[in-house]
Amino acid sequence: MIKKISTTLLVLCLVVLNSCKLDLLDNPNAVTTSNTDINYLLNQIELSYAGHFNSLSDPGMRLTRMLNQGSAIYDNAVSPGNFDGAWTTAYAAILTDVKTIIPLAEKAELFVHAGIARTLRASVLINLVDAFGDVPYTEAIDPTNFNPGVDAGATIYKSALTELDEAIKNFAATSKAGAPNDLIYAGNADSWTRVANTLKLKIYLNMRLTDAAGSTTAINSLIAGGKLISTATQNFAFKFGSNLTNPDTRHPRYGGQYSSTGGGDYQSNSYMGTLYSSKGFPDPRIRYYFYRQTIKNPTDVNALRCVNNSKPAHYSDSDVFCLPSTVGYWGRDHLSNEGIPPDGLLRTAWGVYPAGGSFDNDAGVPVSLGAGGGGAGIHPIMMRSFVDFMLAESALTLGTTGVAKDLLKSAIEKSMADVRTLALGTNESGKIATFEAASGTVWASEVTKYVTKVLADYDAATTNSQKLNIIGTEYWLALHGNGIESYNLYRRTGKPSNQQPALDPSPGGFPRSYYYPASYITRNAKAVQKANVTTSVFWDNNPAGMLK
C-alpha cells in the first residue's frame, strides 16, 4: 500500500529532491521486521486470539444448544457471510503476525515468545480445520500469492502437532532476556508447555475415530509425561477487566447485555432446563451461569409469544418448550427466529461465570451498566476440568490410562471449583455470601449432592453408550462459554443425546462443518464452496444423519 504524503512534505521534497528519498512501498502502519516491538506484537497476537476464540465459539454454542440459534434452518445459521470476521482475524492478523514474530524472537533468543506464538498458531490451525475442513495453509500468508490453495485437514493437523512440538522445545530452551509481557500466563513456560500438550490431547481425541490405535498410544504418552493442564493456575483462559472505555476491557458477552436497555443474547431453554431440573434439583452452577432479570414466568403473549402455543408435534414429552422452569428462566428454543419484543430487561442474562455478570440471588431486578462483576470474566479456552472430561472419554472409548468414572468425578469437581473461584474473585463475593447465609446454602454440600447423583447414574448405566452420554452431558454443562469444544464434542460423540429439536420440523441437515466465508470464496480464484453443510471434517466419520 502506498503511504499517504501530506502536501507540505511533498513540496519540501520537491525543493530538496536530492536529500529527500521516499520508499513509496513502505506502509508506516504495517508491522515490519525493522519496526517491531516483540512484546507489543505478542500482546497483539494474544488479543487477536481472544477475538478468534469468541468468533468461532459463538456458532458452536448456538448449534449445541448452549445459546439460542436465531435462524429457522441450519443453512442460514452457518451462512457464508457469518464467518468473514473469523477468517480475517485468523489469516490477516494472527497467522501473519506469528509469521513475523517467530524469526525475530528466535534470532534474539527470546524462546518463550516464540513458543507462545507457535502454540497459538497451532491452536488457530486446529480450530480452522475443525470449523471449515480443508483450508489454506502452506500457500497462505504469502504476499505474492493471492489465490492460495487448500491443504487437507489431516495434513494441517500433522503440521499443528509439529508446531506444538517445536513450541515445547522453545519453552525448554533458555531465553536471553526475562519473561515476556504475556497477557495469559505472565511468561510461565511450564504453563505454556501444558497448554501445548493439552492441545495435542485435543487433537488425538478428535482423531480417535479415524486412528484409534495411534490416538491410544499418543494419549497414554501424554498422560505418562505428566505435563497436561491439571491445576487452577494452569487453566488456559483469557481474562477480561471491568474498564468501560479507553479501552473497553470487559467480556464481550457482558458488554452486549449489561446496559440501560439490556438485550443481548437469548439463552438456550434446553441448556437452562437441563441445568435446572435434569438431576431432580438445580445444578449448583446455575446461579453463576445465568442471571434472571425476573423470577416470574411471563404470561403475556406480547412479551413471549409461545406461552399460548402448544408444544410442537415433533417434540417428545421430555423436550423443553418455551419456558424451561416456573421461576423466570427466560430464553428461546432451538432455531427460534421470532422477532424481538421489548424484553431486553426481562430475558435471562449471562451471569458472573464466565462473562463477569451478576450472581443470581433471586433479586429479579434488571441488568444495568456496571452491575455484577462489571465484565471481569474469562474466555474458558481450555480448563483443567476439560482435560479430565477428555481423559474420561478416552478411557471409556479407547481404554487409555485411568478410570473413566474417577476422571468424571474429578472433572465435575474441578468445574465447580473454578466457577466458584472466579465468582468469588469479583465484587459479587459479598452478594454470594449474603445469599448463602440467608438461604442456608452450603456450597460444598451442594457439590457433593450433585456429584453423588451423577456417579450413581453412571453406575446404573448398562452400556458404554449410556456411560458416554453421561460423560458428554457433564462435559457440555461444564463448557459454558466455550462453543468450540462443545461443537467438537457433539460431532465426535453425538452426545448429549436427545438434544432439543429445532422448532421447524424440517430444518435441514445438521452442520458437520461451516460454509467457507463469503470473502474467501469471492476473492480467491481457487476457492470452491461446499455443496452443503453436512460435509464432515476429516476426523468425523460418524454416520450421516446422526446429529439433529
Side-chain angles (χ1 to χ4, degrees):
M1 179 183 294
I2 299 176
K3 74 176 172 183
K4 299 177 181 178
I5 308 169
S6 71
T7 303
T8 303
L9 180 59
L10 181 58
V11 171
L12 179 61
C13 285
L14 289 173
V15 173
V16 287
L17 185 60
N18 290 334
S19 63
C20 183
K21 297 180 180 180
L22 293 175
D23 182 355
L24 298 180
L25 297 179
D26 181 25
N27 179 359
N29 296 316
V31 174
T32 68
T33 56
S34 62
N35 71 4
T36 299
D37 182 296
I38 290 180
N39 275 308
Y40 287 151
L41 184 54
L42 179 65
N43 288 168
Q44 184 56 54
I45 291 168
E46 291 179 328
L47 288 169
S48 296
Y49 181 82
H52 161 80
F53 172 84
N54 192 50
S55 63
L56 287 183
S57 182
D58 185 85
M61 283 192 286
R62 298 185 190 281
L63 290 174
T64 58
R65 286 76 159 175
M66 295 174 76
L67 272 178
N68 163 249
Q69 174 52 257
S71 302
I73 61 174
Y74 281 123
D75 243 29
N76 291 340
V78 293
S79 68
N82 293 354
F83 297 99
D84 287 345
W87 192 268
T88 300
T89 298
Y91 284 99
I94 301 171
L95 296 181
T96 298
D97 288 347
V98 168
K99 186 176 181 180
T100 299
I101 198 174
I102 287 176
L104 294 176
E106 292 188 335
K107 181 179 180 181
E109 298 183 32
L110 300 176
F111 296 114
V112 176
H113 291 71
I116 294 171
R118 290 187 186 280
T119 302
L120 296 182
R121 176 161 66 183
S123 179
V124 169
L125 292 174
I126 298 164
N127 291 341
L128 287 172
V129 171
D130 293 345
F132 302 106
D134 301 343
V135 295
Y137 179 51
T138 55
E139 294 183 8
I141 323 301
D142 179 352
T144 67
N145 185 356
F146 294 98
N147 300 289
V150 300
D151 296 83
T155 301
I156 295 177
Y157 254 47
K158 291 179 181 177
S159 296
L161 285 168
T162 300
E163 191 80 273
L164 292 169
D165 285 336
E166 289 300 311
I168 291 168
K169 291 178 184 177
N170 283 149
F171 296 134
T174 301
S175 292
K176 180 177 289 187
N181 184 24
D182 168 22
L183 302 176
I184 300 175
Y185 288 118
N188 187 298
D190 180 69
S191 292
W192 277 109
T193 299
R194 291 173 183 275
V195 171
N197 279 315
T198 301
L199 290 174
K200 292 171 69 174
L201 170 64
K202 167 181 168 175
I203 287 174
Y204 288 121
L205 188 63
N206 280 345
M207 293 199 302
R208 73 171 176 80
L209 297 173
T210 55
D211 183 11
S215 290
T216 301
T217 299
I219 292 173
N220 277 335
S221 178
L222 289 169
I223 295 170
K227 285 290 184 178
L228 296 170
I229 293 170
S230 60
T231 68
T233 58
Q234 296 160 3
N235 283 332
F236 185 26
F238 188 89
K239 300 176 180 65
F240 292 89
S242 58
N243 202 55
L244 177 61
T245 58
N246 298 322
D248 184 348
T249 63
R250 303 171 302 164
H251 194 290
R253 301 291 173 179
Y254 181 94
Q257 196 143 46
Y258 282 73
S259 68
S260 60
T261 57
D265 291 317
Y266 279 103
Q267 300 297 329
S268 162
N269 283 336
S270 176
Y271 198 63
M272 292 190 294
T274 302
L275 285 156
Y276 185 74
S277 61
S278 66
K279 306 297 189 299
F281 50 85
D283 188 310
R285 294 166 292 194
I286 194 168
R287 292 182 180 273
Y288 298 78
Y289 282 7
F290 306 115
Y291 175 74
R292 291 169 297 157
Q293 299 187 83
T294 176
I295 58 174
K296 296 180 179 179
N297 279 7
T299 57
D300 182 0
V301 69
N302 294 311
L304 187 63
R305 189 174 69 185
C306 62
V307 294
N308 284 348
N309 293 349
S310 299
K311 181 181 286 192
H314 61 287
Y315 273 43
S316 71
D317 291 341
S318 61
D319 287 325
V320 168
F321 171 69
C322 190
L323 290 163
S325 75
T326 60
V327 292
Y329 287 102
W330 184 326
R332 285 197 167 179
D333 298 314
H334 186 49
L335 290 173
S336 170
N337 68 336
E338 296 178 16
I340 300 177
D343 64 355
L345 296 175
L346 293 169
R347 70 184 74 158
T348 297
W350 286 85
V352 66
Y353 181 94
S358 295
F359 172 77
D360 189 341
N361 63 347
D362 292 337
V365 298
V367 299
S368 59
L369 192 64
I378 63 169
H379 280 330
I381 302 166
M382 189 57 71
M383 308 293 281
R384 57 179 178 152
S385 61
F386 301 177
V387 175
D388 284 359
F389 280 117
M390 288 192 288
L391 292 177
E393 177 188 331
S394 176
L396 181 68
T397 61
L398 295 174
T400 52
T401 303
V403 178
K405 179 182 174 181
D406 295 343
L407 289 161
L408 171 63
K409 178 178 183 290
S410 173
I412 297 170
E413 290 172 342
K414 287 177 179 178
S415 172
M416 297 282 182
D418 288 344
V419 168
R420 173 86 164 176
T421 297
L422 184 146
L424 294 180
T426 71
N427 55 17
E428 290 292 87
S429 59
K431 183 192 292 185
I432 294 168
T434 299
F435 173 79
E436 290 182 343
S439 63
T441 301
V442 178
W443 172 259
S445 299
E446 294 298 308
V447 172
T448 298
K449 179 171 71 170
Y450 186 93
V451 171
T452 299
K453 168 62 175 170
V454 172
L455 297 184
D457 290 344
Y458 189 86
D459 287 337
T462 58
T463 67
N464 275 3
S465 178
Q466 292 172 346
K467 292 179 184 295
L468 182 59
N469 189 53
I470 292 171
I471 293 171
T473 299
E474 294 307 313
Y475 190 13
W476 177 62
L477 295 175
L479 280 167
H480 185 52
N482 187 324
I484 291 176
E485 301 311 326
S486 67
Y487 186 44
N488 287 340
L489 169 71
Y490 194 43
R491 290 177 295 171
R492 190 175 62 243
T493 66
K495 313 301 181 184
S497 58
N498 301 317
Q499 286 274 31
Q500 183 191 39
L503 281 177
D504 189 317
S506 301
F510 182 87
R512 303 287 276 267
S513 64
Y514 304 145
Y515 281 120
Y516 289 118
S519 58
Y520 167 63
I521 295 298
T522 57
R523 296 174 186 173
N524 187 324
K526 293 181 182 177
V528 178
Q529 187 58 275
K530 298 170 187 175
N532 54 64
V533 291
T534 60
T535 302
S536 297
V537 299
F538 84 95
W539 52 259
D540 175 10
N541 62 2
N542 281 312
M546 181 184 78
L547 306 177
K548 65 179 183 179

